[in-house]
Amino acid sequence: MPAVSFPPSLLERLRHADRVVVLTGAGISAESGIPTFRDAQTGLWARYALEELATPQAFQRQPQLVWEWYAWRRALCADKQPNPGHLALARLAQHIPQLQLITQNVDGLHQKAGSPQVMELHGNLNRFKCFEQQHPVTSWAETGPMPPRCPRCGGQVRPDVVWFGETLPQAALAQATAAAQRCDLFLSVGTSALVYPAAWLPQLAHQAGAWVVEINPNPTPLTAWADVTLAGPAGQVLPALLAHTWPAA
Ligand code: OAD
């Protein structure tokens, strides 16, 4: 990676920021070995059809196929570890009085890295609920047909992730929106900024007067208007950004 230079004005703002919002996407977990969705060749949506795997209709049509695809993704993520990008964000929480970390990821790596109060906008691969009634389901016998059945209503169990065509958890979205509207600095890390409503958040922050900083090796719709773009992998840029901002820490 060519050395990323950090504008002194950014370091100054970050050092004195009271309220920072960080929005992460699949790119932050790429260096942990978890594929993104939209990167050409390696992205999940380059290899699989999202309408056959990540919609409620797909689950109704082919519950076993969808269940198995998510079981494969769970297994893929199970042994993955946070990378220096996740760890830098966990450390950032110790410097900023009010840091809200919002993630579109479902892999749990921010929690594994030690970030407090992670807001998961798209759910979590390791949480389950029944399709009809949304009852939380925590265990089932691995021997029977898959997907398993809800012990309360008998409905089919699905991963508690947000599928296309579904609404986001409303309380989390309201909290994320409020945080974006009152932050001093908004960091968008490793997201293509294409999927709404998450992609509104940096726009709301910008309209409310916050600085928007993007960390991504590739351009996105945000790049044209972000206050600062740090073009590089999050696992390198974030630790360097912290080291430049708080050299003695
Ligand atoms: P995408 O796959 O759309 O975008 C990943 C972004 O990460 C791209 O802009 C890459 O350039 C960037 N990237 C790749 N490697 C990186 C690295 N090492 N450091 C920093 N950035 C890197 O993933 P998301 O934006 O997360 O939704 O996608 C948003 C949503 O679309 C996901 O949450 C998922 C998906 O369909 C649902 O499942 C509901």
Side-chain angles (χ1 to χ4, degrees), residues 30-43:
E31 289 155 87
S32 294
I34 300 177
T36 63
F37 293 95
R38 292 177 184 78
D39 280 295
Q41 316 292 333
T42 56

Side-chain angles (χ1 to χ4, degrees), residues 203-225:
Q203 301 181 34
L204 290 173
H206 183 64
Q207 282 159 15
W211 257 37
V212 174
V213 178
E214 177 174 55
I215 299 177
N216 196 317
N218 303 303
T220 75
L222 221 80
T223 314
W225 56 265

Side-chain angles (χ1 to χ4, degrees), residues 25-27 31 37-38 45 104 122 162 164 190-192 216-218 234:
E31 289 155 87
F37 293 95
R38 292 177 184 78
W45 299 151
Q104 299 165 85
H122 292 168
V162 176
F164 285 88
T191 174
S192 58
N216 196 317
N218 303 303

Side-chain angles (χ1 to χ4, degrees), residues 14-20 92-99 184:
L14 187 55
R15 206 173 286 130
H16 297 294
D18 279 328
R19 294 171 171 178
V20 172
L92 186 62
Q94 293 159 14
H95 292 286
I96 305 291
Q98 293 184 53
L99 179 83
D184 311 316

Side-chain angles (χ1 to χ4, degrees), residues 117-130:
Q117 293 162 356
V118 180
M119 190 184 288
E120 294 179 317
L121 281 188
H122 292 168
N124 191 301
L125 274 179
N126 287 300
R127 211 170 47 224
F128 305 88
K129 61 184 182 181
C130 68

